[in-house]
């Protein structure tokens, strides 16, 4: 019998991993809120531009109504926070609520002079800062634009994928903007949306909704139990041999595979680190998936 090289971390180690994850979440969310505020106050608001998604709805309503943008950000995102609570977790909803309120406060109280009057630069860099803010917030396990949460809900009850719904949603938004504001503003705002979406994709390491995760560890049984029973995700175990050194002498090992949403990546990785900080974890994007536990149960 081959002696195990690793030892399962004790409760103190697991607690440190959890605390450090929470600290990083706060840092990411804080950076996200600040970046989004710069994009809104320094670029988009002074020039009447807007974005896609829930933030785009808030900005468009700010142009068309006398309501303050800070109030609109909260009101528009409230239904998405509720969906996040139903689909993801209470903790996700709490973090998203705090992030959205923090963003609303910054937008209301901070003053940033208009950085440029060039419309192309406004569209591109406004989208850059706003997309960075949204991306950092997602990395911290929260949202400041809840369109993705709604898209997941719709995809479960229709033939539309998450990407399809977001595209349709934003096309309709820009059509409304072209009608009620003007065509030029709508066209520049589309550039803002494209810039923002690329930054979100870059920061969360992938443009797709679902991520395939392959886990190679000497503690595959413990990890499989944690993912299956505590996190409620389906796991498939493949029989495999090691290919190098001492690990090659152990023919009775499992390689785990599961499909998760990108909002779950941080939580899965944290639980793996608690059990085996040296586990080899591979992540890769999956265009879409149908059936199985991921379509039948909440995200967490």
């Amino acid at each position: 019998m081959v002696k195990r090289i690793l030892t399962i971390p004790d409760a103190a180690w697991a607690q440190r991993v959890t605390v450090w994850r929470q600290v990083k979440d706060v840092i990411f969310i804080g950076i996200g809120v600040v970046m989004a505020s710069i994009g809104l106050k320094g670029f988009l608001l002074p020039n009447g531009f807007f974005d896609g998604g829930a933030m785009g709805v808030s900005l468009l309503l700010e142009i068309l109504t006398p309501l303050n943008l800070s109030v609109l950000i909260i009101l528009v995102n409230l239904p998405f926070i509720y969906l996040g609570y139903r689909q993801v977790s209470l903790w996700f909803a709490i973090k998203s609520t705090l992030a959205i309120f923090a963003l609303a406060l910054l937008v209301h109280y901070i003053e940033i002079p208009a950085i440029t009057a060039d419309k192309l630069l406004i569209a591109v860099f406004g989208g850059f800062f706003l997309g960075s803010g949204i991306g950092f917030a997602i990395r911290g396990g929260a949202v400041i634009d809840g369109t993705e949460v709604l898209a997941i809900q719709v995809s479960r009850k229709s033939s539309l994928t998450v990407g399809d719904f977001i595209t349709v949603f934003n096309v309709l938004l820009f059509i409304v903007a072209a009608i009620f504001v003007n065509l030029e503003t709508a066209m520049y705002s589309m550039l803002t949306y494209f810039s923002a979406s690329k930054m979100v994709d870059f920061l969360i390491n992938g443009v797709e909704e679902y991520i395939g995760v392959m886990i190679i560890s000497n503690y595959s049984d413990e990890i499989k139990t944690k993912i299956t029973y505590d996190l409620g995700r389906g796991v498939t175990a493949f029989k495999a041999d090691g290919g190098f050194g001492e690990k090659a002498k152990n023919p009775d090992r499992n390689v785990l595979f599961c499909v998760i949403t990108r909002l779950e990546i941080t939580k899965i990785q944290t639980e793996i680190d608690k059990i085996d900080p040296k586990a080899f974890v591979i992540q890769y994007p999956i265009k879409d998936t149908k059936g199985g536990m991921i379509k039948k149960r909440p995200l967490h």
Side-chain angles (χ1 to χ4, degrees), residues 5-20:
I5 299 175
L6 299 174
T7 58
I8 298 177
D10 57 19
W13 167 259
Q15 181 65 24
R16 287 197 296 271
V17 171
T18 301
V19 171
W20 176 235

Side-chain angles (χ1 to χ4, degrees), residues 1 5 9 11-12 19 26 57 68 72 79 153 156 176 186 203-204 215 247 252 271 294:
M1 180 177 175
I5 299 175
V19 171
V26 171
V57 173
N68 185 273
L72 289 169
Q153 175 73 7
R156 289 173 173 169
V176 171
L203 286 171
I204 60 181
I215 306 159
K247 295 180 180 180
D252 298 323
E271 296 304 322
I294 197 166

Side-chain angles (χ1 to χ4, degrees), residues 103-132:
L103 177 61
L105 288 174
L106 282 181
V107 168
H108 184 73
Y109 287 108
I110 67 169
E111 292 297 333
I112 300 176
I115 296 174
T116 178
D118 186 286
K119 292 183 178 180
L120 182 59
L121 292 178
I122 293 166
V124 173
F125 283 93
F128 169 83
F129 280 100
L130 187 56
S132 298

Side-chain angles (χ1 to χ4, degrees), residues 45-231:
L45 277 177
N47 300 281
F49 283 16
F50 54 94
D51 184 29
M55 188 63 70
V57 173
S58 301
L59 288 164
L60 181 58
L61 290 175
E62 195 269 342
I63 296 172
L64 299 176
T65 70
L67 293 177
N68 185 273
L69 179 62
S70 299
V71 176
L72 289 169
I73 289 174
I74 296 172
L75 292 179
V76 170
N77 279 286
L78 280 178
F80 301 127
I81 293 173
Y82 176 73
L83 284 177
Y85 163 68
R86 294 289 303 273
Q87 294 183 41
V88 185
S89 68
L90 175 60
W91 182 233
F92 172 82
I94 291 173
K95 288 196 292 185
S96 298
T97 301
L98 294 175
I100 289 168
F101 270 89
L103 177 61
L105 288 174
L106 282 181
V107 168
H108 184 73
Y109 287 108
I110 67 169
E111 292 297 333
I112 300 176
I115 296 174
T116 178
D118 186 286
K119 292 183 178 180
L120 182 59
L121 292 178
I122 293 166
V124 173
F125 283 93
F128 169 83
F129 280 100
L130 187 56
S132 298
I134 294 171
F136 274 113
I138 291 177
R139 287 289 301 273
V143 293
I144 54 177
D145 186 307
T147 315
E148 281 197 352
V149 180
L150 177 61
I152 294 170
Q153 175 73 7
V154 172
S155 71
R156 289 173 173 169
K157 298 182 178 181
S158 72
S159 59
L160 290 175
T161 66
V162 171
D164 290 339
F165 174 81
I166 292 176
T167 300
V168 171
F169 182 93
N170 287 308
V171 166
L172 293 175
L173 177 64
F174 290 123
I175 289 174
V176 171
I179 295 172
F180 290 98
V181 184
N182 62 68
L183 182 59
E184 184 182 73
T185 298
M187 293 172 69
Y188 275 113
S189 297
M190 288 176 68
L191 290 179
T192 300
Y193 165 68
F194 289 133
S195 175
S197 64
K198 289 301 180 183
M199 280 308 303
V200 172
D201 294 339
F202 175 76
L203 286 171
I204 60 181
N205 297 317
V207 300
E208 306 297 347
E209 180 62 28
Y210 295 108
I211 302 295
V213 179
M214 190 170 289
I215 306 159
I216 302 172
S217 169
N218 285 343
Y219 300 99
S220 57
D221 289 341
E222 292 90 337
I223 294 174
K224 180 173 70 174
T225 298
K226 171 65 71 172
I227 294 174
T228 302
Y229 293 102
D230 292 358
L231 303 181

